[in-house]
Amino acid sequence: MKPHFKPIPSESNLFKIELQENSKEFDYPWHYHPELEITYILSSHGVRYVGNSTENFYCDDLVLLGANLPHTWHISGDEDEPATAIVIYLKEGFLNETWMQSIEFKAIAGLLTEMNKGIVVDREKALQLKPKFLRLLNAPAFERMIILLEILQDLARNTQFRFLCSQEFTGALNRTDNARINAVYDYIQSHYLQQVSLSEISNRVNMSEKYFSRFFSKVMKKPFFEFLNEYRINRACKLLIETDMQISEVCYSSGFESVSFFYRQFRKFKGCQPKTYRRNYQRVAELRLLAS
């Protein structure tokens, strides 16, 4: 299941900065490009796919992506606010060998290497950097370069982050397989509340069940049903954060048919029980409110 190759035209040989202001930019299929990418979500929420990682995203989501790391953002169906993001593409020319081997750029060079696994920056750190991202939009070309280097240096020194993928992913040109992976994503988003069978999903992508299972596991580095359950758990997290539903209601509203199985899967993917997850989020939200 291969992603699209997405060309990133730019007047500069070093970097490109875009303000993406509509859902079409976010709806771009699972894709990759040789440029490194830094995406700061200003508004919108939904599901973020990076390599074999599936997570919810909200405003002030800051993600760093390495070269050829497949990714896509899907907006939630109940989204009312416009989708906006600042996206920075670091061109291949940005990785000048002399620069990257110099002591002055040692930290940044390390950061750019770590981006191969995908990095999500903690929201508190993202908010600290937000004014600099906004300044990038209207700054003159040379000043943009200075601000960008400051952002990269801040990110290189930052310890408030986590990796999205346990191993590196690379894209490859294959339109048929690209259509298949996007068909899988679309099917899961439309049918996660129903019982999903291997027969149905394999038919959707014109494969036998056996071949689809091997194919999905090889490319995504995890079995299909693990991927599906992870998606459902992330939907459950969204309900835990945004509603006061009972845990059993969250379970069934996320596509699970058994509360006991839901609890096991939640602990597997989130490392805690649903009540603990909700309580921890509420505690952090209260602290943020007091700090503001």
Side-chain angles (χ1 to χ4, degrees):
M1 297 180 182
K2 304 299 191 297
H4 276 296
F5 172 81
K6 180 181 180 180
I8 309 294
S10 174
E11 295 180 356
S12 170
N13 292 325
L14 297 177
F15 61 91
K16 180 179 183 180
I17 299 171
E18 289 184 349
L19 176 61
Q20 298 183 353
E21 297 183 281
N22 59 71
S23 60
K24 289 183 179 179
E25 296 288 351
F26 288 83
D27 289 339
Y28 198 91
W30 200 55
H31 65 279
Y32 71 99
H33 38 71
E35 295 82 2
L36 285 74
E37 179 177 326
I38 301 173
T39 294
Y40 194 114
I41 302 295
L42 297 175
S43 63
S44 187
H45 67 270
V47 180
R48 171 183 10 93
Y49 301 95
V50 174
N52 67 347
S53 166
T54 305
E55 293 185 350
N56 298 321
F57 74 87
Y58 296 88
C59 63
D60 299 307
D61 187 60
L62 176 55
V63 170
L64 320 178
L65 305 175
N68 299 318
L69 178 59
H71 57 279
T72 187
W73 276 251
H74 283 218
I75 299 172
S76 294
D78 58 351
E79 181 64 68
D80 293 324
E81 63 180 336
T84 58
I86 297 172
V87 183
I88 303 169
Y89 299 103
L90 303 182
K91 308 290 285 186
E92 293 176 279
F94 190 88
L95 305 177
N96 180 279
E97 186 174 347
T98 302
W99 279 32
M100 292 303 112
Q101 291 182 355
S102 67
I103 188 171
E104 292 84 359
F105 288 91
K106 182 178 180 180
I108 291 177
L111 171 70
L112 300 185
T113 299
E114 289 184 324
M115 286 168 63
N116 289 333
K117 294 182 179 180
I119 295 172
V120 59
V121 178
D122 282 7
R123 189 169 184 270
E124 288 74 10
K125 182 62 179 178
L127 287 169
Q128 290 175 18
L129 292 172
K130 188 174 184 178
K132 289 185 177 180
F133 276 90
L134 294 172
R135 283 172 56 202
L136 283 172
L137 297 176
N138 299 310
F142 183 76
E143 187 178 340
R144 275 187 169 190
M145 182 66 174
I146 300 302
I147 297 170
L148 176 57
L149 289 176
E150 289 177 352
I151 289 173
L152 290 173
Q153 184 70 357
D154 284 345
L155 290 171
R157 292 175 173 175
N158 174 48
T159 58
Q160 299 171 273
F161 73 93
R162 57 186 171 79
F163 293 113
L164 291 171
C165 306
S166 59
Q167 51 194 307
E168 296 180 14
F169 284 73
T170 56
L173 289 172
N174 187 314
R175 292 188 178 183
T176 300
D177 292 341
N178 169 74
R180 285 170 174 160
I181 190 66
N182 282 292
V184 171
Y185 285 158
D186 291 342
Y187 185 83
I188 288 175
Q189 290 188 120
S190 301
H191 296 81
Y192 72 93
L193 289 174
Q194 305 167 17
Q195 187 175 36
V196 177
S197 70
L198 193 59
S199 173
E200 176 64 21
I201 189 62
S202 60
N203 285 336
R204 287 278 177 148
V205 293
N206 299 313
M207 291 181 173
S208 68
E209 294 180 30
K210 186 176 181 180
Y211 185 74
F212 172 77
S213 294
R214 289 202 309 265
F215 190 48
F216 192 92
S217 295
K218 179 180 179 182
V219 175
M220 300 302 289
K221 311 299 190 293
K222 63 177 65 174
F224 169 73
F225 284 107
E226 181 178 338
F227 186 86
L228 172 62
N229 286 329
E230 185 176 12
Y231 179 88
R232 285 169 167 164
I233 289 299
N234 279 287
R235 298 299 298 180
C237 290
K238 188 174 187 294
L239 294 175
L240 289 168
I241 290 172
E242 298 179 358
T243 75
D244 57 359
M245 283 184 175
Q246 297 294 319
I247 301 300
S248 59
E249 292 180 282
V250 171
C251 164
Y252 299 125
S253 297
S254 304
F256 291 97
E257 298 179 346
S258 162
V259 174
S260 59
F261 182 70
F262 168 67
Y263 270 89
R264 291 198 300 273
Q265 293 298 300
F266 200 97
R267 177 173 288 278
K268 173 182 177 180
F269 291 111
K270 299 301 176 183
C272 63
Q273 297 291 359
K275 287 183 179 179
T276 305
Y277 181 91
R278 172 179 272 169
R279 185 168 59 248
N280 289 343
Y281 179 85
Q282 291 172 342
R283 185 180 297 121
V284 170
E286 289 170 359
L287 291 174
R288 286 174 180 162
L289 185 61
L290 290 173
S292 62

